[in-house]
Amino acid sequence: MTNVVERSFPIDLGAYKPLALDPRNPTLTDEQRQTLKANIQLCRDAIVFFTATGAARGVGGHTGGPYDTVPEVVILDALFRGAPDKFVPIFFDEAGHRVATQYLMAALHGDLPFEQLAHYREAHSRLPGHPELGLTPGVKFSSGRLGHLWPYINGVAMANPGKVVICLGSDGSQQEGNDAEAARLAVAKNLNVKLIIDDNDVTIAGHPSEYLPGFSVAKTLTGHGVNVSVGDPEDIDDLYRRICEAVTTDGPIALVNKRKMAVGIDGIEGSTHGHDVIPVDKAIAYLEKHGQTAAVEYLKNIQKPKLPYTFLGVSEKWDSNRNVFGDAVVSVLSRMSPEERKEKVMCIDSDLEGSCGLKKIHDAYPDIFVASGIMERGNFSAAAGFGMEKGKQGIFGTFSAFLEMCISEITMARLNYSNVLCHFSHCGVDDMADNTCHFGLNNMFADNGLDDGYETRLYFPADAGQMKACVEAVFFDPGLRFIYSTRSKVPQILDENGKNFYGEGYTFVPGKDEVVREGTAGYIISFGDGLYRALDAVEKLKQQGIDVGLINKPTLNVIDEEMLAKVGKAPFVLVVEALNRRTGLGSRFGSWLLERGLTPKFAHLGIHKEGCGGLWEQFPYQGLDPDSIIKKVKELVS
């Protein structure tokens, strides 16, 4: 681990007063109440500060969720201390973006130095955007993705009969279908699981009360047979009483706590902006209001790190392909009449429209846009159902990491001959401070049909020009089409004359590989954000007298026989990709060569270990940066 502890933590966390409370006594004394209130304010100040360091460094994060649930967590901490034999003393949380809770409690329990908190989500700080067991001292579980933990801790409860297991939840995580299944099992087996749910009516892209009218966390859980208590969590006495009642009553119980998101933070209270990391200016205003002047000065002096590298073979202009996707779709839709659009196209979001470029479609054509909840499986299937009829297209988008959740639904869509244009953004590892559970690595899983089945195509454009051309070329194609993009921006690929390779006059041809640079020593095969890094390596190798070629393979799951024969006769083939080494392109490419009797030296660079946090730092950590590519090429030509 890189030593990240440099400056003293500017908030006095030593002022936190450990409190031991007995849940059999549901009434607080004046002293206990004042201690809880002081601890709550201290912890909220700390969370605002150290999550804002993530905003200042450009690594992002989430403030509102962990800030909101501080009263619940501080009370639970006191109960864990006061009745340790009664609980599994872990702050299980099915909203993984509330990781700041886990880091703060780890520090307060002595597992992390306070100073380390100020390096939230920074590369090599071991403080990624979701808790990871075994990576961060004091973190006692991996949350994975939103809404995945309640089913898991049902098993924890089974393994610990007679003890109470806590699951911190949210109205967003409760939208996932996993939780419905978990609720039914918990009720059927009378598991001693206590759900403490922050019901603040805010998710990433909107308010559940608006985009899912009729959905009620309390009524849904009641319908599953869970005992539900609804209340105001900012009323400390009532919150404490309700928690005590829940943990001293047998069986599954849910406390649904109604509050505004980021309550008390001027400028973001009650808004969707509270879901994400607090902007630095809002954090400074909050900290000044609460007398944390040292924390304010600390934030003002943070310098945002810059990528210390200039890439050869690319433009100075960088674009966000995930947003370009939305622009390209709007361009296609603009050439249709309103009647034709409404009849033939439907776009269904899963609360990620701003992250996946779908907001462009929402803004331009709201009549064909469905703003839906955090329900990837159901939303994909709805898009597929719309696209079941010939000539109709469902459009669906979410993060690439969530593709694994939709495999069965993808199979059903294929069996029903559906037409779905899918955009899975945030692919790979670049700029992914959320880290391992949010890496989009298993994209090839979408191609899980049979050779004679309904067509599935996987596309990964290299830059904005190719993204636009790809969408234009495949929009009206039948079948399932998966277009991938990264969270990070990518530069424009240039030809040998310094012109845009995917500029004016370029036409995307599905299934065709493209020669970006010719070479005699061997070929690198790449795509997506791997391509510009491989191009830099190729240019530098040519300067060193090693004439390496570069092939872009934007259609991942179709064999270009002509190109395969070409590279198969070269001295070596090296696949470079930001996908899982076990399941990515490289795991197939070598077999394709051997099946045709082609035997160049072969190697494969891909994602092969858990992440390090941060932004561009993920690529060299995985051995996919230009220097690592150059090193591997030299091994192959030696």
Side-chain angles (χ1 to χ4, degrees), residues 150-155 158 178-193 224 226 252:
W150 184 3
Y152 186 86
I153 69 165
N154 277 347
M158 293 177 186
N178 288 340
D179 277 5
E181 298 179 15
R184 292 194 290 271
L185 180 62
V187 170
K189 299 301 180 184
N190 199 39
L191 300 178
N192 215 12
V193 174
H224 288 304
V226 178

Side-chain angles (χ1 to χ4, degrees), residues 45-59:
D45 290 355
I47 286 172
V48 167
F49 164 69
F50 76 78
T51 58
T53 67
R57 292 192 177 93
V59 293

Side-chain angles (χ1 to χ4, degrees), residues 170-177 179 203 208 211-212 215 373-375:
S170 66
D171 51 342
S173 58
Q174 285 289 312
Q175 292 176 22
E176 288 283 13
D179 277 5
T203 53
Y211 63 72
L212 289 179
F215 170 63
I374 306 164
M375 316 180 291

Side-chain angles (χ1 to χ4, degrees), residues 603-619:
H604 173 207
L605 298 178
I607 306 303
H608 59 284
K609 57 185 178 180
E610 296 187 357
C612 68
L615 301 173
W616 67 84
E617 294 93 343
Q618 299 276 15
F619 254 77

Side-chain angles (χ1 to χ4, degrees), residues 7 346 429:
R7 298 168 60 187
M346 181 62 69
V429 301

Side-chain angles (χ1 to χ4, degrees), residues 357-374:
L358 300 189
K359 190 176 187 303
K360 305 292 185 74
I361 305 170
H362 191 179
D363 290 346
Y365 303 110
D367 57 328
I368 64 166
F369 188 91
V370 176
S372 188
I374 306 164

